[in-house]
Amino acid sequence: MLAIMGGTGIYQLPEMIIDDEQVVETPFGEPSGSVVRGRYRDHPILFLARHGSGHRLLPHEVNYRANVFALKAAGATMLLGLSAVGSLRQEIEPGDLVIPEQYFDWTRGRRAQTFFGNGIAAHVSTAHPVSARLVQSVVQAGEKIGQTIHRSATYACVEGPRLGTRAESLFLRNAGCDLVGMTNIPEVFLAREAQLAYATIGMVTDYDCWLDDSAQHVSATGIFELYGTTLKKAFNVLESLLEGDLPEPEPEIRTALKNAMLTSFDSLSSDQKAWVTVLQR
């Protein structure tokens, strides 16, 4: 089942037929909001607003573990995020759509990065952190409606909530990053620990602040100038995606924990076994 993680400005899915909403309790605390279960173009889907209803949560305040766990517990096998991003490349213009396929973690350690620890050791591989099958399906969905989607981008995740300095923007650009955002880490890595096929549709709002022309530097007001139009493009791609068959997640993603856990399952407490079993589904 596909789960949608709504980013900035996305607190519900237009045209989603809602069957029920459930507040999911998790061993990792409260998610950002209710998990919405329903149908979209005859596909069963789940939806969760990353920042909560009305955008209550800053990026570092989001309980990423609870969000991912709640969606996995509700039956998700794939997770598609929708996220606002800044561009570090001239050719990736404000108003464009882009799919990151690599990630660079530039957060500051304030976020819980893993489900594991506290007596359970596990190390998942994230050399290829997104699902190539899901990425390809999203790109093809865009092609069907004539919507270009940049791909093969590297997303740098910063801590926020402040917008970055020009020195930071240039550093990330020179480090090989193409996009900058505040929310996809640790979400992408937790998805792998939960054996979920993951991808994000990035909606480009600005050029961050690396350009010489300060009039093009990011501002909170500027972020929303093109956002409505860009968001419509993303919804059109999502609609196109859900008009056809969804891909099967890669077997190596759906079995990511098979050889990643070093601690014996038999040695875990009953509570630990319960949540690890959810991740292993």
Side-chain angles (χ1 to χ4, degrees):
M1 182 186 297
L2 179 67
I4 306 295
M5 186 73 77
T8 298
I10 309 167
Y11 314 116
Q12 59 185 359
L13 284 183
E15 300 187 34
M16 179 181 179
I17 300 172
I18 298 174
D19 293 329
D20 65 75
E21 297 187 34
Q22 184 178 5
V23 177
V24 180
E25 296 183 3
T26 86
F28 306 97
E30 295 183 4
S32 298
S34 300
V35 173
V36 181
R37 184 186 300 272
R39 288 167 289 129
Y40 195 111
R41 293 292 187 269
D42 294 325
H43 285 281
I45 63 168
L46 303 168
F47 175 80
L48 178 61
R50 184 187 287 121
H51 296 280
S53 177
H55 207 117
R56 298 175 293 103
L57 302 170
L58 289 168
H60 70 278
E61 296 177 318
V62 173
N63 190 336
Y64 296 95
R65 293 194 300 177
N67 285 352
V68 172
F69 189 90
L71 292 171
K72 181 62 185 286
T77 58
M78 295 183 288
L79 176 54
L80 180 63
L82 298 169
S83 305
V85 296
S87 172
L88 300 173
R89 301 295 164 191
Q90 191 85 50
E91 65 273 17
I92 303 177
E93 301 178 357
D96 286 356
L97 300 181
V98 56
I99 296 185
E101 295 188 60
Q102 282 293 329
Y103 284 89
F104 183 84
D105 186 357
W106 200 241
T107 59
R108 293 292 185 272
R110 297 167 67 183
R111 311 175 185 197
Q113 296 279 344
T114 177
F115 291 111
F116 298 99
N118 297 313
I120 311 178
H123 303 277
V124 296
S125 172
T126 58
H128 302 287
V130 303
S131 166
R133 292 182 182 180
L134 185 54
V135 169
Q136 185 62 24
S137 292
V138 172
V139 170
Q140 289 175 342
E143 291 172 348
K144 288 179 185 177
I145 59 173
Q147 176 62 58
T148 299
I149 303 176
H150 302 279
R151 59 179 302 178
S152 301
T154 296
Y155 176 121
C157 191
V158 298
E159 188 64 64
R162 67 173 176 83
L163 303 174
T165 68
R166 189 159 187 262
E168 290 167 332
S169 188
L170 288 168
F171 175 85
L172 294 172
R173 172 177 157 84
N174 292 334
C177 300
D178 307 299
L179 308 170
V180 61
M182 299 181 186
T183 59
N184 279 195
I185 291 174
E187 189 175 275
V188 57
F189 302 136
L190 292 168
R192 181 57 56 88
E193 288 187 345
Q195 302 189 146
L196 296 172
Y198 183 90
T200 286
I201 300 176
M203 296 167 284
V204 182
T205 59
D206 56 81
Y207 275 124
D208 201 50
C209 57
W210 58 273
L211 288 168
D212 291 332
D213 181 4
S214 60
Q216 296 198 59
H217 290 181
V218 59
S219 67
T221 301
I223 283 174
F224 290 98
E225 289 181 353
L226 283 176
Y227 197 61
T229 301
T230 312
L231 186 55
K232 177 62 175 175
K233 293 177 184 178
F235 282 149
N236 288 341
V237 171
L238 180 60
E239 183 175 338
S240 176
L241 174 69
L242 292 171
E243 284 177 347
D245 295 330
L246 294 175
E248 286 293 324
E250 291 89 338
E252 59 269 26
I253 293 177
R254 295 290 290 131
T255 58
L257 292 178
K258 184 176 181 180
N259 296 312
M261 281 186 57
L262 304 182
T263 307
S264 168
F265 183 83
D266 292 337
S267 70
L268 306 183
S269 69
S270 57
D271 287 344
Q272 290 172 326
K273 287 178 179 178
W275 64 257
V276 169
T277 297
V278 171
L279 298 183
Q280 290 176 331
R281 290 177 186 165

